[in-house]
């Protein structure tokens, strides 16, 4: 009789896991307040008192800035838009390079392409999966403009070393904190560690408004350039008297009053949601680390991690089973989560494929049919996107890293016990694999 579910045995868990549901009556009230006001958005794409948006948008921006202890907070309709604004605000353009992480959501790197700059990928740290300062330094050229660092999985980037590098080479640091709202580095909030930070309010993040994003910065000039790019800069710069026209081709990246009202309620809930998540991570880590071959990832010294996902290192040499086979067996013991059935059991081998392996980079096809920006006449560098350029990320992704989402605030200890039992059972009966 096989014991493992993957071979036809009984599953450890027979019910769905509860959904992550941070939305409740407070958000419902907030939405009704906006609906009843009749003003669902108040932005105007012209130099006018409504250029900066309506009351909910402006209140969210004030509250966000206060919460994260930063001078400016600027709402946008997604973190992707936020990254576009941030790169545009730096003045990057054709011929420039932007150093990016290969281990992140694709927009962290495509934000360079939007302004016809070339993303150059540096490798990641093997302990924390964020950009490695030594690898960054090896990628800096006279064409480098900015570094897009990512607080991946909720782990703040190595701000001390990377900010020092940026200062030395006169580069701006854009911090993608989409996965790290509330994480801290030496007491300072993730998102406020670089020159401009970006958060996401999409449905999958710690707190959400359906779709949405926030930018933060202490720099007045960058803040104003971001606000212009968000809302039709091209029509506004003339009447406003803006001198610097670089990248002042605007978009419509405006957040609605509805999303802003929801986001205001969500922000109030963030500290509690994070505490529960960290508690769940500790509960799991204590138990999972007893299973040979599994190592919950370390946290950087002096940091508070926000655990968008829980990273684990898998040691195939200890278990004698390749990672993907072991994890397939663990998943067979468990069940999907409510509201996200189609995504299956929320445990993954690695995270996303290293971004340079995307077809766009392999084929060097971005804008138009002439290879821009990679082979644009203004670009004098020779970027490489070959397999092997970032060996650490490839080893993590293809053989050592496991990430899972079964840590959110709506899970109970008994839900977590099932996760532990699934790993324990597969370890115990690994002979069946
Ligand atoms: C989710 C995410 C984004 C994009 O967020 P959107 O709001 O969906 O555009 C960008 N970067 C990282 C690291 C993310 O996790």
């Amino acid at each position: 009789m096989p014991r493992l579910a993957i071979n036809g045995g009984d599953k450890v868990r027979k019910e769905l896991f509860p959904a992550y549901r941070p939305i409740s009556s407070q958000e419902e009230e907030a939405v009704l307040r906006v609906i009843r006001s009749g003003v669902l958005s108040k932005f105007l794409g012209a130099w006018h008192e409504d250029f900066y948006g309506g009351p909910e948008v402006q209140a969210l921006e004030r509250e966000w800035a206060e919460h994260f202890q930063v001078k400016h907070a600027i709402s946008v309709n997604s973190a992707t838009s936020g990254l576009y604004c941030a790169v545009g605000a730096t003045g990057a353009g054709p011929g420039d390079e932007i150093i990016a992480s290969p281990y992140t959501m694709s927009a962290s790197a495509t934000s360079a392409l939007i302004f016809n700059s070339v993303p150059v990928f540096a490798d990641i740290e093997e302990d924390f999966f964020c950009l490695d300062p030594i690898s960054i330094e090896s990628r800096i050229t006279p064409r480098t403009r900015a570094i897009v660092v990512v607080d991946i999985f909720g782990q703040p980037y190595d701000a001390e070393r990377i900010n020092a590098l940026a200062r030395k080479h006169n580069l701006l640091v854009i911090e993608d904190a989409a996965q790290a709202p509330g994480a801290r580095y030496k007491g300072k909030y993730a998102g406020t560690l670089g020159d401009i930070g970006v958060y996401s309010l999409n449905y999958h993040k710690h707190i959400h408004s359906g779709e949405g994003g926030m930018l933060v910065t202490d720099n007045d000039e960058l803040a104003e350039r971001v606000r212009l790019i968000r809302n039709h800069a091209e029509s506004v710069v003339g009447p406003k008297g803006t001198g610097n026209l670089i990248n002042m081709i605007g978009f419509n990246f405006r957040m609605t009053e509805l999303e802003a009202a929801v986001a205001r309620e969500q922000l109030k809930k963030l500290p509690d949601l994070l505490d529960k998540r960290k508690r769940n991570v500790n509960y799991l880590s204590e138990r999972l680390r007893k299973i040979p071959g599994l190592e919950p990832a370390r946290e950087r010294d002096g940091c508070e991690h926000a655990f968008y996902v829980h990273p684990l290192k898998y040691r195939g040499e200890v278990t004698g089973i390749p990672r993907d086979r072991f994890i397939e067996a663990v998943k067979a013991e468990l069940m999907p989560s409510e509201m996200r059935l189609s995504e299956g059991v929320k445990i993954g081998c690695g995270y996303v494929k290293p971004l340079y392996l995307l077809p766009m980079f392999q084929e060097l096809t971005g804008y138009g049919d002439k290879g821009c920006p990679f082979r644009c006449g203004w670009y004098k560098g020779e970027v490489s996107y070959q397999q092997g350029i970032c060996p650490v990320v490839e080893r993590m992704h293809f053989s050592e890293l496991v990430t899972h989402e079964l840590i959110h605030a709506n899970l109970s200890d008994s839900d977590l016990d099932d996760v532990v039992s699934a790993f324990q059972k597969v370890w115990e009966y690994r002979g069946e694999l």
Side-chain angles (χ1 to χ4, degrees):
M1 273 284 279
R3 293 295 311 270
L4 292 179
I6 197 170
N7 294 330
D10 283 344
K11 282 178 182 291
V12 165
R13 169 107 186 175
K14 302 197 173 62
E15 293 155 44
L16 298 175
F17 283 102
Y20 181 44
R21 262 196 113 117
I23 302 290
S24 56
S25 58
Q26 294 82 2
E27 288 75 12
E28 192 178 322
E29 285 303 315
V31 166
L32 283 175
R33 173 175 81 228
V34 174
I35 294 277
R36 288 178 185 138
S37 79
V39 181
L40 305 197
S41 175
K42 204 160 190 280
F43 272 108
L44 214 62
W47 186 228
H48 178 276
E49 63 177 36
D50 292 337
F51 171 68
Y52 296 109
E56 297 286 346
V57 156
Q58 292 197 27
L60 169 65
E61 293 178 344
R62 275 195 307 277
E63 290 158 8
W64 196 278
E66 197 174 314
H67 182 96
F68 290 98
Q69 295 157 26
V70 62
K71 190 164 178 195
H72 302 277
I74 304 157
S75 60
V76 278
N77 61 1
S78 71
T80 301
S81 313
L83 288 162
Y84 294 178
C85 290
V87 169
T90 69
D96 294 334
E97 292 175 340
I98 293 190
I99 296 175
S101 171
Y103 220 35
T104 171
M105 188 262 166
S106 56
S108 318
T110 56
S111 52
L113 294 169
I114 297 303
F115 293 91
N116 267 291
S117 296
V118 173
V120 173
F121 294 100
D123 210 345
I124 61 168
E125 303 163 303
E126 89 158 80
D127 286 337
F128 310 118
F129 323 111
C130 297
L131 274 177
D132 176 358
I134 295 170
S135 180
I136 293 178
E137 188 151 33
S138 74
R139 306 298 206 255
I140 293 174
T141 73
R143 296 170 293 279
T144 312
R145 269 273 173 171
I147 308 170
V148 181
V149 293
V150 184
D151 301 319
I152 197 71
F153 309 147
Q155 168 72 72
Y157 75 101
D158 186 345
E160 203 164 288
R161 289 165 74 197
I162 295 178
N163 291 357
L165 255 185
R167 270 194 302 277
K168 178 169 153 202
H169 296 273
N170 201 20
L171 308 173
L172 288 173
V173 174
I174 297 170
E175 182 183 7
D176 180 344
Q179 302 187 357
R184 292 184 206 233
Y185 179 94
K186 300 189 177 159
K188 207 169 182 311
Y189 278 115
T192 69
L193 304 170
D195 294 288
I196 311 187
V198 180
Y199 304 89
S200 172
L201 290 165
N202 90 19
Y203 174 54
H204 299 286
K205 298 293 161 43
H206 291 71
I207 55 171
H208 78 88
S209 55
E211 303 286 352
M214 296 297 292
L215 287 118
V216 293
T217 180
D218 283 320
N219 180 312
D220 298 340
E221 190 191 337
L222 288 175
E224 204 53 16
R225 285 170 62 73
V226 164
R227 293 188 185 102
L228 283 159
I229 295 170
R230 162 178 78 174
N231 188 11
H232 295 295
E234 69 284 356
S235 311
V236 181
V237 286
K240 187 172 188 290
T242 303
N244 179 358
L245 294 186
I246 294 168
N247 294 340
M248 289 294 109
I249 307 164
F251 294 87
N252 172 354
F253 288 155
R254 306 175 309 214
M255 180 184 271
T256 71
E257 291 286 284
L258 285 165
E259 288 146 350
V262 171
R264 292 176 69 192
E265 295 305 321
Q266 287 278 282
L267 179 59
K268 293 183 203 158
K269 297 182 179 178
L270 177 61
D272 273 354
L273 291 170
L274 260 180
D275 281 350
K276 290 210 189 92
R277 195 177 276 259
K278 284 192 246 181
R279 192 205 152 272
N280 287 349
V281 166
N282 286 336
Y283 187 94
L284 278 179
S285 289
E286 260 172 42
R287 288 158 179 80
L288 291 176
R289 75 161 47 90
K290 296 191 183 129
I291 299 170
L294 272 191
E295 252 173 53
R298 296 205 303 123
E299 278 181 66
R300 194 188 301 285
D301 284 346
C303 285
E304 284 172 50
H305 202 298
F307 292 107
Y308 174 62
V309 299
H310 185 202
L312 307 164
K313 293 259 202 101
Y314 179 84
R315 303 255 171 259
E317 67 280 13
V318 175
T319 62
I321 313 282
R323 177 195 64 179
D324 294 18
R325 181 73 181 143
F326 192 95
I327 295 303
E328 198 187 348
V330 171
K331 289 171 74 166
E333 299 296 336
L334 296 171
M335 292 286 286
S337 302
E338 286 165 3
M339 290 167 64
R340 291 177 69 174
L341 293 181
S342 64
E343 295 173 50
V345 178
K346 300 299 295 174
I347 303 181
C349 292
Y351 177 52
V352 291
K353 207 154 94 166
L355 292 180
Y356 49 86
L357 300 176
L358 290 177
M360 163 198 298
F361 298 115
Q362 291 301 303
E363 307 291 329
L364 297 183
T365 302
Y367 283 102
D369 62 358
K370 299 176 188 65
C372 291
F374 314 103
R375 287 182 290 214
C376 144
W378 292 104
Y379 182 55
K380 306 299 183 206
E382 269 173 52
V383 69
S384 167
Y385 299 123
Q386 292 311 302
Q387 181 129 21
I389 57 169
C390 299
V392 178
V393 79
E394 291 180 18
R395 179 158 49 84
M396 289 306 133
H397 184 69
F398 294 110
S399 54
E400 289 185 20
L401 181 67
V402 174
T403 58
H404 78 93
E405 296 182 28
L406 293 164
I407 49 174
H408 64 72
N410 296 92
L411 296 167
S412 66
D413 286 359
S414 95
D415 295 323
L416 301 178
D417 288 339
D418 286 344
V419 176
V420 175
S421 302
F423 276 97
Q424 273 167 345
K425 181 178 167 193
V426 174
W427 161 255
E428 194 172 334
Y429 295 98
R430 65 194 179 283
E432 280 187 29
L433 292 176

